[in-house]
Amino acid sequence: MTAKNSSPSRRLVLAGLGATSFLAACGANERQGSGSGQSSGSTPTKGGTLTVLVSSTSTNFDPAKSQSLAITSLALVHRRLTSWKVESGKPAELVPDLATDVGSTSDGGTTWTFTLKDGLLFSDGSPIRAADVKWGLERSFAASFSGGLTYHKDLLAGAAGYTGPFEGARLASIATPDEKTLVFTLARPYGDWGWVASTPAFAPVPEGKGAEADYGLKPIASGPYVLSAVQQGVKIEMSRNEHWSAASDDVRPALPDSVVFSLGQATDVVSQRLVADSAADQTAFGAGFVSPAQLVQVANNPSAKDRLVTSESGALAFLSLNTRRGPLQNAEVRKAFQYAVDKAAFQVATAGTAALAGEVATTLITDGISGREEFDLYPTDPSGDPAKAKELLAAAGYPQGLSGLKLLVSQSNNGPAQAQAIQAALVKAGIGVDLQVTDEDAYYAAINTVNADEYDLALASWQPDFPSPNANLQPLFATSAIGNGGYNSARYSSPSVDAAIAAAQATVDTDAAAKAWVAVDKAVMADSPVVPLIYTRNSFLRGSKVTNFFIGAFPAYPNYLAVGVSS
């Protein structure tokens, strides 16, 4: 579970955190790393062409199939009921997008009502109606349009077994009493429904349309841009949507006249081009993370150093302890790992130095999310305490330590080096570990399958889909997230924690919910199913004419919606 690739989408789960997140080398961009990073002193202006250099050979603009964050590529084309206000150095804030507010409930979170703003139009000039939002959501249930985020599928009442609207079946739990009103009936109270409404499937699709498999190549837009040219594997060009109104959109300044996604670009080559900053690359930025080796190059180039922006924090990297395996079924044994792991060595293995890798982690809720509380149930030096670990193992009935444990890690990026750092530290604590290095597909097959318990430990990371502790904790620690495509890699199951998660999810009041989620964080850590390692950092490079290029406190990606170019 570290980033599956460097595109800003979904939870960013994968093993081997390698090139996924780093701070600038050798003091480069020292406080840009705080997310303060307005990338230049230029005042953002309208006009010009912005180019986004992307390593993948395709970018999905079908909202039903997308896992794109609310501030990245998809949101240039599609609006949603709600969105995120992301500013430099500040936590993300839930704000209205197509809707007039972030949703209201009068029954404690089971029924949610949204009203659309006046005058909303699709790119074909037709009005955006409540029925179009309903259709887009229903369309996401069709098997041929799978792959997107699924929070709404699990929460809408009566959605179990629903297969989409194309054969006439409709969801009664999405009501449209008039052209501007949507009423959602959930299977249970859920306080974060407003955040869920910011996920891609809440983008409207004109009712009756979007049956074709390639809708993502020719979508009908609700955002400020339309896809004007698509060359598969080469580039996607966007131009202005003449029917989009800035007056109804507070999160998209839509500064460039056009945006080009240049596909299939090797990440190391992208960095070299942006460092050189010549010709068209002056108005481009890289969608992928800058690697540690390239950060050294950037640090030695004053011009490039000024054009690097680094996140304050990012995905949580952690070591999963398979709670269904042998001695690891015992929580007292698992607690020994909190002291046995050398987090400082893991930082070095990740990016060369602690400063490059990210801060040591002791909690599970991602840094930068509102309501997060810092605590440490297992205080020790970042380098660990092997003697304390041995003491705990002996007290748990293992005076000779443990041997033959299998550590699962993806060979992607520098995962093996990180696993070796974990292995070396555990040996000092009397814990023998064999590395199980796999390709990415085999890694995910082991993590996501119910009975695939052939590993004892797994190296993983996680960034939530939306900035709520809910999206941190439920996907990793709820019993329902074990197997069947879930990401509970520790196979952790606690009835009391499940009940606490359900209670926190049902809490509508923001402050009360935050306290409930902190209590879940502490309860999980008390059981020690994972060892938090570091909060990883991401660095991105831009051309000299790219303006308003910054990273907020969450997520650890540039706000694509704010970026412009200067002449």
Side-chain angles (χ1 to χ4, degrees):
M1 308 208 302
T2 7
K4 208 167 190 181
N5 53 53
S6 58
S7 65
S9 62
R10 205 177 188 194
R11 312 163 169 125
L12 306 180
V13 288
L14 186 217
L17 310 166
T20 62
S21 37
F22 304 102
L23 181 64
C26 306
N29 193 47
E30 286 174 326
R31 282 321 326 156
Q32 297 254 116
S34 69
S36 62
Q38 180 122 350
S39 60
S40 76
S42 303
T43 301
T45 58
K46 282 187 174 291
T49 297
L50 172 70
T51 299
V52 185
L53 303 171
V54 182
S55 61
S56 63
T57 56
S58 64
T59 298
N60 196 338
F61 288 95
D62 186 328
K65 297 180 178 181
S66 176
Q67 299 177 4
S68 178
L69 298 173
I71 62 162
T72 55
S73 55
L74 188 83
L76 295 168
V77 176
H78 298 290
R79 297 176 68 177
R80 311 164 192 195
L81 284 182
T82 62
S83 188
W84 308 350
K85 182 180 181 181
V86 173
E87 297 180 321
S88 182
K90 297 181 180 179
E93 177 185 349
L94 183 65
V95 295
D97 193 357
L98 292 172
T100 57
D101 59 26
V102 295
S104 61
T105 179
S106 58
D107 61 358
T110 300
T111 306
W112 288 86
T113 301
F114 295 81
T115 302
L116 298 183
K117 295 173 180 175
D118 293 330
L120 300 171
L121 299 175
F122 282 112
S123 55
D124 63 1
S126 62
I128 297 174
R129 306 165 303 144
D132 303 314
V133 178
K134 174 181 171 72
W135 178 264
L137 278 166
E138 291 175 333
R139 178 178 173 273
S140 72
F141 283 83
S144 56
F145 297 103
S146 63
L149 298 181
T150 61
Y151 294 93
H152 61 288
K153 296 182 183 181
D154 298 329
L155 289 167
L156 286 167
Y162 181 64
T163 57
F166 296 111
E167 295 179 1
R170 308 303 298 270
L171 274 178
S173 53
I174 308 175
T176 56
D178 57 53
E179 290 198 345
K180 292 180 60 180
T181 305
L182 288 126
V183 181
F184 299 97
T185 302
L186 309 186
R188 56 189 171 87
Y190 195 83
D192 275 342
W193 186 249
W195 285 115
V196 173
S198 74
T199 58
F202 285 78
V205 174
E207 187 175 16
K209 297 187 178 181
E212 60 275 19
D214 64 347
Y215 181 76
L217 301 179
K218 47 185 178 183
I220 299 174
S222 51
Y225 298 98
V226 296
L227 302 191
S228 51
V230 177
Q231 290 181 263
Q232 291 278 33
V234 179
K235 66 178 178 179
I236 295 176
E237 297 181 10
M238 298 179 182
S239 58
R240 289 196 183 277
N241 171 10
E242 62 181 16
H243 294 290
W244 169 81
S245 171
S248 72
D249 195 334
D250 294 329
V251 295
R252 298 171 184 81
L255 297 175
D257 287 333
S258 59
V259 180
V260 176
F261 283 78
S262 182
L263 307 175
Q265 305 297 316
T267 302
D268 55 346
V269 175
V270 166
S271 293
Q272 292 169 11
R273 286 170 51 182
L274 292 173
V275 167
D277 193 40
S278 60
D281 289 335
Q282 293 180 346
T283 55
F285 74 86
F289 312 128
V290 182
S291 73
Q294 292 163 334
L295 286 171
V296 174
Q297 179 186 5
V298 170
N300 293 324
N301 183 315
S303 171
K305 177 179 175 180
D306 288 342
R307 295 184 279 109
L308 190 76
V309 177
T310 301
S311 65
E312 173 80 12
S313 188
L316 169 70
F318 58 95
L319 178 68
S320 283
L321 313 177
N322 190 337
T323 59
R324 291 185 174 182
R325 293 272 289 187
L328 297 178
Q329 296 177 74
N330 184 340
E332 298 308 309
V333 170
R334 298 195 299 266
K335 290 175 184 178
F337 284 78
Q338 303 291 345
Y339 298 94
V341 169
D342 185 339
K343 298 180 183 180
F346 184 84
Q347 288 173 313
V348 172
T350 298
T353 69
L356 295 174
E359 299 295 331
V360 163
T362 60
T363 65
L364 304 170
I365 298 174
T366 303
D367 196 11
I369 289 182
S370 182
R372 174 180 177 270
E373 181 181 315
E374 289 192 31
F375 62 88
D376 188 355
L377 299 187
Y378 309 99
T380 189
D381 187 85
S383 61
D385 186 344
K388 175 73 170 178
K390 289 180 179 179
E391 177 185 325
L392 290 175
L393 287 175
Y398 296 90
Q400 303 305 314
L402 305 173
S403 62
L405 300 185
K406 296 179 181 179
L407 170 55
L408 178 69
V409 62
S410 168
Q411 64 190 11
S412 302
N413 300 317
N414 64 343
Q418 294 168 322
Q420 288 166 8
I422 297 291
Q423 180 186 44
L426 294 180
V427 166
K428 294 178 183 177
I431 303 170
V433 173
D434 299 321
L435 301 189
Q436 194 170 348
V437 181
T438 71
D439 62 30
E440 191 173 318
D441 289 340
Y443 175 90
Y444 279 102
I447 294 295
N448 298 147
T449 306
V450 172
N451 296 317
D453 291 327
E454 67 272 18
Y455 63 88
D456 299 287
L457 313 171
L459 189 58
S461 82
W462 186 264
Q463 178 170 279
D465 295 316
F466 50 86
S468 166
N470 182 3
N472 272 112
L473 297 172
Q474 186 278 333
L476 295 181
F477 302 108
T479 300
S480 60
I482 299 173
N484 295 318
Y487 294 97
N488 185 339
S489 54
R491 306 294 194 244
Y492 176 69
S493 178
S494 165
S496 62
V497 167
D498 286 340
I501 286 173
Q505 287 183 328
T507 303
V508 175
D509 180 80
T510 302
D511 292 337
K515 292 177 181 177
W517 285 117
V518 168
V520 172
D521 194 344
K522 291 179 178 179
V524 173
M525 283 304 303
D527 276 347
S528 188
V530 301
V531 179
L533 297 170
I534 61 174
Y535 303 110
T536 58
R537 284 174 171 153
N538 301 342
S539 287
F540 298 87
L541 195 57
R542 64 165 181 89
S544 59
K545 293 184 178 179
V546 173
T547 64
N548 217 34
F549 190 72
F550 65 86
I551 300 173
F554 180 94
Y557 291 93
N559 183 357
Y560 286 34
L561 309 186
V563 179
V565 295
S566 62
S567 57

